[in-house]
């Protein structure tokens, strides 16, 4: 029925409203629709469990752990598992100083941990360059191609972004205003409007302001490309664009990207064109870059195309300079969008963000100053392209990781089809010093997520899109078997001193040997290097693992052991001491009495 207003009462007709829900005529024509509800995404937050294990680290794993966690917290025989997302360098540092018990990371520490640690591979995923760009007709552009040099241009604040910078900064005056006017970008992406209204967001890559293994991987990819490296060293590209002098010769890779430009356009800042910058001048291009603290923040900004450049001056309520502040540009209009950012492949898949194809290889005959993508191979992220990348990974026995060789991806024949943003995520867990219950739980976690947790699907306990299943059919059985051996070493807590944590896989046992998870030797705590960025010293609350304290135990039945042993020792020495036995027995009794008073906290 259609609800219509009554012309006489001016209200809703009761016959077609919910007011007469009880009427028999309504129930006679009913339709029954069965409903069921999936568990809430935060179901583990409202479930009590006898134990809980925390793992700090990689945001690359957020979507996977969101689906894995209910498998543990909803099973009364298991435990509650919580993934606390932080930058991987921070998680490594916290693990190194003993403030956390486990970390999700994507590369080995620069030094060593303070305790023996194994690295169990738990996921194959990576970073994605996501974008929201409309073409010249105002329709979504879906074929974006990017080279390492273009990514370097976006990161290094080398596009002026606004006319005031282009006309007043002589060092950037000859560069395109933004990437849409860059001949290199235009040659690879025909159909994108040239000279977009969103010039500020078209001049930067929305990246992270915190330490991250994703930024380390991205800058490793840029560093491995000869054209990008030459441009960063100061050579102009074939069309004449040069790097911002503040970044000339920058050392890569880094896990945190620095903002180095210091230029303040004098004419613009001398006027009231932007009252905030007029009253409190600061460098302009870092405001355009406006990096975010978390990958999740970038994901949300890209999902709703909310430009993060903080160049808008918000005035106070009375129109004076009191309370004025710089705020982001905000949401872009559909048909005129232009944003590029970095996020995880898991987030990109869940929120259906469009990902760019990245340059993998360039043929020897490809032109330096090109007008099309001919002679250059570009690969977008997918299970097939991540699988191609894993074919080039080899175990580094010194670190227990499968590092990505970007030089090999660029030169090996198989690398042409491999996605350059592929990354492996590991669970770094100590094999010494953990409480027995925690060690057992961490071992169970590793076994599950590297085994049954690799089953693709949208349900609890399954592996969501954006991750390549670490299975035998994908040629990754060695990684999964390695994770199982790492779990065995974690459960045993023997410090990794055994040549093989699982004797069943030793040579000559009749089974196929699996590489033994190498264990970092104990050393003094050494924070992981940040590649020129800052080192995080924050210590969030976690299960603290203290190796230098003594546990306090209340005296119970075992509390009688000490006085009894003391008495026996005294009596046993009667035959060897020239002291009357009655005096010794009396002395022993007095000692036992004093101990009893002290143990009970009594006072005479």
């Amino acid at each position: 029925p259609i609800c219509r207003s009554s012309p006489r009462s001016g209200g809703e007709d009761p016959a077609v409203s919910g007011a007469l829900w009880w009427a028999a005529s309504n129930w006679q024509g009913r339709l029954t629709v069965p409903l069921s509800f999936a568990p809430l995404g935060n179901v583990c937050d409202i479930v009590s469990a006898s134990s809980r294990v925390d793992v700090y680290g990689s945001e690359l794993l957020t979507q996977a752990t969101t689906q894995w966690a209910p498998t543990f917290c909803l099973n009364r025989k298991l435990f509650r598992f919580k993934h606390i997302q932080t930058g991987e360098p921070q998680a490594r540092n916290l693990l190194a100083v003993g403030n956390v018990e486990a970390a999700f990371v994507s590369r080995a520490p620069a030094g060593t941990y303070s305790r023996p640690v194994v690295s169990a591979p738990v996921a194959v995923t990576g970073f994605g360059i996501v974008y929201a760009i409309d073409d010249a007709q105002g329709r979504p552009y879906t074929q974006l191609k990017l080279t390492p040099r273009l990514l370097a241009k976006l990161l290094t604040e080398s596009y002026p972004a606004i006319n005031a910078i282009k006309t007043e900064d002589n060092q950037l005056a000859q560069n395109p205003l933004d990437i849409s006017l860059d001949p290199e970008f235009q040659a690879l992406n025909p159909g994108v409007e040239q000279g977009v209204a969103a010039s500020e967001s078209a001049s930067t890559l929305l990246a992270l302001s915190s330490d991250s293994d994703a930024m380390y991987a991205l800058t490793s990819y840029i560093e491995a490309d000869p054209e990008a490296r030459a441009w960063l060293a100061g050579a102009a590209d074939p069309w004449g664009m040069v790097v911002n002098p503040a970044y000339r010769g920058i050392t890569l890779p880094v896990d945190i990207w620095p903002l180095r430009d210091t230029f303040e356009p004098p004419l613009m800042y001398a006027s009231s064109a932007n009252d905030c910058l007029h009253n409190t001048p600061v460098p302009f291009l870092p405001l355009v870059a406006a990096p975010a603290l978390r990958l999740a923040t970038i994901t949300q900004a890209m999902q709703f195309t909310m430009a993060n450049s903080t160049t808008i001056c918000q005035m106070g309520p009375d129109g004076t300079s009191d309370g004025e502040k710089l705020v982001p540009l905000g949401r872009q209009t559909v048909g005129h969008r232009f944003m590029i950012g970095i996020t995880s492949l898991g987030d990109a898949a869940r929120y259906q963000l469009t990902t760019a194809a990245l340059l993998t290889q360039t043929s020897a005959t490809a032109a330096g100053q090109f007008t099309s993508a001919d002679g250059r191979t570009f690969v977008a992220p997918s299970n097939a392209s991540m699988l191609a990348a894993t074919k080039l990974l080899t175990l580094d026995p010194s670190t227990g990781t499968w590092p990505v060789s970007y030089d090999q991806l660029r030169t090996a024949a198989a690398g042409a089809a491999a996605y350059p943003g592929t990354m492996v995520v590991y669970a770094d867990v100590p094999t010494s010093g953990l409480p027995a219950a925690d060690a057992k739980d961490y071992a169970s976690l590793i076994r599950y997520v590297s085994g049954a947790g690799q089953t693709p699907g949208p349900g609890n306990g399954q592996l969501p899109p954006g991750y390549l299943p670490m299975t035998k059919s994908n040629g990754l059985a060695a990684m999964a078997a390695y994770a199982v051996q790492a779990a065995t070493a974690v459960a045993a807590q023997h410090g990794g001193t055994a040549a093989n944590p699982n004797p069943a896989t030793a040579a000559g046992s009749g089974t196929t040997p699996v590489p033994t998870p190498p264990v970092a030797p104990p050393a003094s705590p050494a924070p992981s290097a940040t590649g020129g960025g800052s080192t995080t010293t924050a210590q969030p609350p976690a299960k603290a693992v203290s190796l230098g304290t003594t546990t306090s135990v209340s005296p119970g039945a075992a509390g009688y052991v000490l006085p009894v042993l003391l008495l026996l020792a005294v009596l046993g020495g009667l035959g060897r001491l020239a002291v009357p036995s009655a005096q010794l027995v009396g002395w022993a009794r007095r000692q036992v009495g004093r101990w009893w008073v002290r143990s009970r906290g009594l006072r005479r």
Side-chain angles (χ1 to χ4, degrees):
I2 300 175
C3 297
R4 295 185 174 89
S5 298
S6 169
R8 287 180 294 178
S9 64
E12 188 178 48
D13 189 339
V16 292
S17 73
L20 301 178
W21 62 269
W22 45 266
S25 58
N26 284 337
W27 286 98
Q28 288 174 355
R30 70 184 183 275
L31 295 175
T32 302
V33 180
L35 298 176
S36 60
F37 298 91
L40 296 174
N42 63 341
V43 63
C44 289
D45 294 336
I46 58 177
V47 172
S48 60
S50 58
S51 62
R52 163 178 153 178
V53 296
D54 296 339
V55 186
Y56 286 70
S58 182
E59 283 192 81
L60 299 178
L61 214 55
T62 299
Q63 299 306 325
T65 55
T66 298
Q67 291 191 184
W68 287 337
T71 298
F72 295 87
C73 73
L74 296 179
N75 187 333
R76 294 184 178 181
K77 296 181 180 180
L78 295 176
F79 49 89
R80 184 179 171 192
F81 152 56
K82 188 171 183 64
H83 173 199
I84 301 170
Q85 293 94 30
T86 65
E88 297 90 342
Q90 180 188 21
R92 278 191 293 270
N93 289 345
L94 292 173
L95 183 59
V97 298
N99 279 21
V100 302
E101 292 182 338
F104 286 136
V105 300
S106 287
R107 62 187 180 94
T112 57
Y113 289 115
S114 58
R115 290 176 285 171
V117 170
V118 288
S119 296
V122 295
V124 177
T125 181
F127 70 83
I129 303 299
V130 295
Y131 64 95
I133 296 176
D134 294 320
D135 62 17
Q137 285 72 44
R139 299 170 299 189
Y141 189 76
T142 58
Q143 303 295 323
L144 189 68
K145 299 180 180 67
L146 294 173
T147 65
R149 185 167 57 196
L150 284 172
L151 290 169
K153 292 175 179 179
L154 290 168
L155 284 171
T156 56
E157 305 173 89
S158 294
Y159 294 110
I162 61 173
N163 287 320
I165 300 288
K166 187 172 176 63
T167 56
E168 297 184 56
D169 187 351
N170 294 331
Q171 300 180 106
L172 301 181
Q174 303 305 314
N175 287 356
L177 185 67
D178 58 58
I179 197 172
S180 75
L181 293 170
D182 189 333
E184 179 180 6
F185 180 82
Q186 294 172 358
L188 298 174
N189 300 284
V192 175
E193 183 178 1
Q194 300 180 13
V196 296
S199 63
E200 292 181 28
S201 59
S203 301
T204 189
L205 175 76
L206 183 52
L208 285 167
S209 62
S210 57
D211 297 353
S212 170
D213 282 357
M215 290 301 298
Y216 191 92
L218 172 61
T219 53
S220 296
Y221 167 64
I222 294 173
E223 172 69 11
D225 182 73
E227 293 179 330
R229 186 65 262 175
W231 184 80
L232 286 168
D237 74 2
W239 300 272
M241 181 174 177
V242 296
V243 67
N244 186 323
Y247 291 92
R248 186 181 296 129
I250 184 174
T251 300
L252 298 180
V254 294
D255 53 26
I256 183 171
W257 188 260
L259 297 179
R260 295 183 173 180
D261 191 82
T262 60
F263 185 74
E264 300 172 7
L267 296 179
M268 176 182 174
Y269 284 25
S271 67
S272 58
N274 187 309
D275 204 55
C276 296
L277 295 175
H278 174 69
N279 294 321
T280 310
V282 294
F284 189 81
L285 288 179
L287 299 176
V288 173
L293 186 63
R294 298 276 306 277
L295 286 178
T297 304
I298 298 176
T299 299
Q300 185 180 50
M302 296 302 306
Q303 183 183 12
F304 297 104
T305 56
M306 297 184 295
N308 205 45
S309 297
T310 53
T311 58
I312 298 295
C313 184
Q314 184 180 83
M315 304 295 291
D318 56 358
T320 68
S321 60
D322 295 336
E324 65 183 14
K325 61 181 179 179
L326 291 168
V327 297
L329 292 171
R331 193 163 187 177
Q332 296 182 341
T333 304
V334 174
H336 303 279
R337 299 172 299 173
F338 201 114
M339 284 185 63
I340 306 175
I342 179 175
T343 193
S344 69
L345 293 182
D347 281 3
R350 176 173 180 176
Y351 297 104
Q352 300 181 10
L353 303 178
T354 311
T355 50
L358 302 181
L359 177 72
T360 56
Q361 295 184 359
T362 302
S363 70
T365 59
Q369 188 178 42
F370 50 87
T371 57
S372 70
D374 294 344
R376 288 172 168 78
T377 305
F378 293 83
V379 175
S382 67
N383 275 16
S385 61
M386 284 194 288
L387 180 60
T390 62
K391 301 300 183 184
L392 300 174
L393 303 182
T394 56
L395 174 67
D396 180 352
S398 65
T399 62
T401 60
W402 279 258
V404 177
S405 173
Y406 295 94
D407 287 331
Q408 191 178 18
L409 287 174
R410 187 179 57 82
T411 57
Y419 178 62
T422 302
M423 300 171 66
V424 181
V425 181
Y426 309 89
D428 278 13
V429 186
T431 58
S432 174
L434 293 183
D438 289 359
K440 178 184 176 182
D441 289 346
Y442 282 116
S444 298
L445 174 65
I446 292 172
R447 290 191 185 101
Y448 180 84
V449 301
S450 62
Q454 297 294 315
T455 303
N460 288 341
Q462 296 180 322
L463 192 69
Y467 301 84
L468 175 69
M470 206 167 61
T471 58
K472 180 179 180 180
S473 61
N474 283 331
L476 299 175
M479 277 190 183
Y482 192 99
V484 171
Q485 285 206 354
T488 301
V490 169
Q493 287 292 290
H494 53 42
T497 56
N500 193 327
N502 185 358
T505 60
S509 65
T511 59
T512 303
V514 178
T516 301
V519 180
S524 58
S528 95
T530 59
S534 61
T535 300
T536 304
T537 57
Q539 299 178 359
K543 285 186 177 180
V545 181
S546 176
L547 303 182
T549 59
T550 302
T551 304
S552 174
V553 181
S554 299
Y560 294 98
V561 174
L562 179 61
V564 170
L565 289 178
L566 177 61
L567 180 59
L568 291 176
V570 171
L571 295 176
L574 292 178
R576 294 187 293 274
L577 298 175
V579 179
S581 60
Q583 294 180 18
L584 286 173
V585 171
W587 174 83
R589 286 174 175 171
R590 286 194 299 273
Q591 300 307 314
V592 171
R594 289 168 182 165
W595 170 85
W596 179 262
V597 170
R598 288 195 300 270
S599 67
R600 291 297 185 231
L602 302 177
R603 295 291 183 270
R604 292 187 181 277

